[in-house]
Amino acid sequence: MNRYPVWKYLLIIVTVVVAVLYTLPNLFGESPAVQISSARATVKVDAALQDRVTALATKAGFTPEAVLSDANSVKLRFKDTETQLKVKDAIQSALGDDYSVALNLVPQTPAWLVAIGAKPMSLGLDLRGGVHFLLEVDMDAAVSKSLDKTAGDVRRELRDKEIRYGKIDRLRDSVVVQLRDAQTVDDTTNALRKALPNMALTEAKDPNNYSVTLTFTPASLLQLKNDAVKQNITTLHNRVNELGVAEPVIQQQGEGRIVVELPGVQDTAKAKDILGRTATLEVRLVDDDQSHLQQALAGNVPDGTVLMTERGRNGQPSPILVKKDVELTGDSINDAQPGFDDHSQPAVSISLDSTGANIFRQLTHDNVNKRMAMILVEKGKGEVVTAPVIRSEIGGGRVQISGAMTVADANDTALLLRAGSLAAPMNIVEERTVGPSLGKENIQKGFESTMYGFLAIAVFMVIYYRVFGVSSAIALSANLMFLLALLSMLGVTLTLPGIAAIALTLGMAIDSNVLINERVREELRNGMSPHMSIQNGYAHAFATILDSNVTTLIAGLALLIFGSGAVRGFAWVHCFGIITSMYSAVFVSRGLINLFYGYRRRLSTLAV
Amino acid sequence: MEFFHVKRDIPFMSYGKITTAISLATFLLAVFFLVHKGLNLGVEFTGGTVVEMQYSQSVDLNSVRTKVDSLKYGDAQVQALGNTRDVMVRIPNIKGKTSAQLSNDVLNTLKQDRPDVQIRKVEFIGPSVGDELVSHGLTALTLVCVGIMAYLAIRFEWRFAVSAIIANMHDVVIILGFFAFFQWEFSLTVLAAVLAVLGYSVNESVVVFDRIRENFRKPNMRGKGVPEIIDNAITATMSRTIITHGSTEVMVLSMLIFGGPALHGFASALTIGILFGIYSSVLVASPLLLMFGVTRDNMIKPVKVKQEAVV
């Protein structure tokens, strides 16, 4: 009685050893590092880069303590922040714009622990400082923008096929093409069905109304929304890379929301500026009819045109009337670089993809001697950067935009265009900034409060229950280790509510031990032999432990499913804690008691 | 060493009327404050911007308040965060202004008077997110209740499930009542704490229920009436109840004292929740059980069925 078979002892030893190993990395702390990651999709991070940056650092006179690399980045670890800063500058200037070089902290986990996959828990923003954004994609704007583009496509397609058409109206959720007769309706439907397969076409052949209406099919609407979120995530990735942030998080949350977390970012205004800019380029034709412009200035904007402002050379914006139809958008931009034009004015050189190049060639071919406007759209507002007169057809897809801009403007514009355009504008619906000192303080306070509470409980248990108390206290420590190891292994991000959950779980975990110890006392009181008391105490307490933990687990799971952010961080730890505490309270503490009492033949009293 | 060993059963059930009356009174009081004063909902729920700042030396809150008011941002609140150096400013959502502008405005205005001010934390929550959180929070609460009731109904009997859930909602409402009365900020972490209390407090009731069920099945309890059985169960588990709650409370108090302002709301909610958790599991859930008319037959029916099957 009260002896575990050898395999049970072995199981306890193995789990404890594993727990110790996987908890260990959390104790080593972090040291400064320089992180190099690719700033563009075309530039890959590989072994060659690793060698190159190591050589660069060594050449600058600082040999890295360790070189770590993963799929997206190479990290060089140094012993102090001064070295880190110097190396960062050296590498940044040598590598140029293709890579983003960021300051980071890298765990000082020894190599042998890294080799078995042990890593410290990652800390949430509330513990390390940084910025958290929740962005909402404006789906209506995405649909609206796509319809604008459709209207342009329809016009081009009908022109190509030489089908005579009347007005093309862009309504709230459809595009309507007015036509002359039944024959053109059929021709139009045939042409558009091929060119725009994802639109639903509705024909009208009423003598008063020959038209084709284009709407999105439900499937294509869903596709459109998904694509909008995906494209925005890609774009955000590019923009964040420009910021040079170490380990940013950019994830979709729910249907149309994106979470962006930038650990360690101090300059939040700059971060928000880069993220929030929804700049995209649009090329449209200018309506140069002076009478139209006068009319528009009088408040009566002619159909199919919009009144905008143009950046003037002398800094004075001037009004300009542009057509509503978008000929070309930023989607077709392959690359954009700042530079200077023939007159040594700051300019941005743009290279277009093949579709864009074709459209642009056609556009310039058809509109010689007319003006076209290069419009930079930011946060839904368009501004004409420049509106040059088209002198001749421009092929080859290389376009230069210059206008009234400074070198800094040109740099910014190029960066925005290069980083890609957003499929739809986004609003910041949630934002949190945590200063780095506050993060450190949060860790320290969370840790201290857990430690004091833990010590108080352990001391009480030992005094109150003696040998059984010692076993309870050891089981509680084991529980703490199991929990930390589990969290580290699963890569759960530790947040302040997570620390609170660790503390609460420890406080609650002792319940199982108290239940057991009280039961053992009760059995003794009822006149059972010591061995029987241990046996029955554990057995009777188990049903209660199971019931009470399952109910707590139900609450924890509901939190996990319906919680978000802080609540979920709490719930993960809480749920894991319930599971580890059952294992340690029932199995580990019993093992200890068995080891202590189980091998004594004559047992007259228990120290409980 | 034993502190809480009671030889004779304490007749808790004979006090049933008084305790039920007391808890009904506290419950109604909590409801009154909830309705009358309402919860001081945190920025996560209401939307708005919260800026936490730290001065290098202590600052006069009134001067900060005047400065912030001069910005004319509607119903802006200025609060001290536990000491005279940490200040929190809450601003409602303003159309056309981003949180960056708001927080910068606040910081710049305050810097005119005192350049030693630093931003520690900025939180901005849009209005739509808040509504969603409220609905998610309520869903979580409902789901927890349903889940727990289902489990208890299967493991015990419906009377136990209903009593436990009433006792627990009583705890939750009282915590909320405290937050309404003192106008403490009800944040997302407090919500987590409230839901954790729900789990914790059921845990508590389950331990007592477990004992009641066991007592019903014990041969030497056969002659006893239901109130005696419940009294015995409560008395027998009392030592454990006090020690467990004590240790959890020690942990939570440690968070309250050493955890700093970030854990304050969380720890306060739990402190209250644990205190009322003891009370309700003993003095609310059990009298309710009695009131619903639990009998020995409710609990030993399954055993009889088994025996018949064997015969």
Side-chain angles (χ1 to χ4, degrees), chain A residues 257 272 429-433 435 441 449 463-464 503 510-511 518-519 521-522 525 544 547-548 559, chain B residues 1-2 99-100 120-124 126 132 151 155 195 203 210-211 214 239-240 244 247 254:
Chain A
R257 293 209 178 126
K272 215 175 304 178
V429 288
E430 196 181 291
E431 181 201 321
R432 283 166 218 275
T433 313
E441 211 177 285
S449 59
I463 294 173
Y464 195 70
I510 205 65
D511 177 47
E518 286 293 322
R519 271 300 176 132
R521 279 186 176 179
E522 208 179 309
R525 219 176 283 138
T544 318
D547 279 336
S548 62
L559 278 180
Chain B
M1 189 169 18
E2 279 189 75
S99 64
R120 301 256 283 171
K121 194 167 119 185
V122 180
E123 267 181 274
F124 156 76
E132 231 175 77
Y151 182 78
R155 284 282 292 172
L195 289 167
N203 185 333
D210 224 58
R211 217 18 120 83
E214 200 183 310
S239 174
R240 170 259 156 207
T244 298
S247 55
S254 171

Side-chain angles (χ1 to χ4, degrees), chain A residues 353-372:
Chain A
D353 62 11
S354 61
T355 333
N358 276 335
I359 296 172
F360 198 72
R361 188 173 46 78
Q362 188 69 41
L363 176 77
T364 46
H365 173 83
D366 291 349
N367 296 291
V368 173
N369 286 333
K370 287 183 190 158
R371 287 213 290 162
M372 66 177 170

Side-chain angles (χ1 to χ4, degrees), chain A residues 134 136 257 269 272 379 428-438 441-442 444-446 448-454 456-457 460-461 463-466 496-497 499-504 506-508 510-512 514-515 518-519 521-522 525-526 540-541 543-552 554-559 561-567 570 574 608, chain B residues 1-5 44 52 54 86 98-101 103-104 118-129 132-133 136-137 139-140 143-144 146-148 151-152 155-156 188-189 191-193 195-196 198-200 202-204 206-208 210-211 213-214 218 236-237 239-241 243-244 247-248 250-252 254-256 258-263 266 270 274:
Chain A
L134 182 63
E136 194 165 51
R257 293 209 178 126
K272 215 175 304 178
K379 293 180 184 164
I428 298 181
V429 288
E430 196 181 291
E431 181 201 321
R432 283 166 218 275
T433 313
V434 181
S437 62
L438 184 62
E441 211 177 285
N442 280 345
Q444 193 210 344
K445 288 201 166 148
E448 274 175 12
S449 59
T450 312
M451 190 183 65
Y452 292 140
F454 180 86
I457 293 176
F460 172 79
M461 289 302 279
I463 294 173
Y464 195 70
Y465 290 117
R466 294 184 286 168
L496 191 64
I499 295 185
I502 293 179
L504 181 67
L506 288 179
M508 287 172 71
I510 205 65
D511 177 47
S512 307
V514 173
L515 273 170
E518 286 293 322
R519 271 300 176 132
R521 279 186 176 179
E522 208 179 309
R525 219 176 283 138
N526 291 347
H540 286 160
T544 318
I545 293 172
L546 188 71
D547 279 336
S548 62
N549 279 303
V550 168
T551 45
T552 324
I554 291 174
L557 286 175
L559 278 180
I561 296 165
F562 286 96
S564 63
V567 175
F570 173 82
H574 194 49
V608 63
Chain B
M1 189 169 18
E2 279 189 75
F3 293 149
F4 314 105
H5 179 53
E44 292 105 319
E52 278 183 30
Q54 191 172 51
D86 292 316
T98 66
S99 64
Q101 286 169 321
S103 58
N104 280 341
Q118 263 191 334
I119 287 210
R120 301 256 283 171
K121 194 167 119 185
V122 180
E123 267 181 274
F124 156 76
I125 316 282
S128 63
V129 186
E132 231 175 77
L133 270 183
H136 279 186
T139 320
L143 204 84
V144 172
V146 171
I148 288 171
Y151 182 78
L152 291 183
R155 284 282 292 172
F156 294 87
L188 208 54
T189 36
L191 178 70
L195 289 167
L198 202 53
Y200 180 80
V202 174
N203 185 333
E204 210 37 54
V206 165
V207 172
V208 177
D210 224 58
R211 217 18 120 83
R213 176 174 60 184
E214 200 183 310
K218 267 189 198 159
T237 51
S239 174
R240 170 259 156 207
T241 305
I243 290 169
T244 298
S247 55
T248 317
V250 162
M251 210 59 178
V252 173
S254 171
M255 261 192 273
L256 193 68
F258 303 109
L263 285 176
F266 181 84
L270 279 174
I274 291 168

Side-chain angles (χ1 to χ4, degrees), chain A residues 466-504:
Chain A
R466 294 184 286 168
V467 171
F468 276 76
V470 172
S471 112
S472 306
I474 295 174
L476 194 62
S477 323
N479 180 28
L480 179 61
M481 248 172 352
F482 289 140
L483 184 55
L484 292 179
L486 202 58
L487 295 174
S488 310
M489 265 191 247
L490 296 172
V492 173
T493 303
L494 189 70
T495 56
L496 191 64
I499 295 185
I502 293 179
L504 181 67

Side-chain angles (χ1 to χ4, degrees), chain A residues 20 28 53 85 90 198 263 273 311 345 372 405 420 424 436 460 482 497 527 570 581 588 602:
Chain A
V20 170
F28 286 98
V53 291
L85 288 171
N198 58 343
D273 210 31
R311 273 187 209 169
Q345 292 292 323
M372 66 177 170
M405 47 180 149
F460 172 79
F482 289 140
F570 173 82
S581 75
V588 176
R602 284 157 191 257

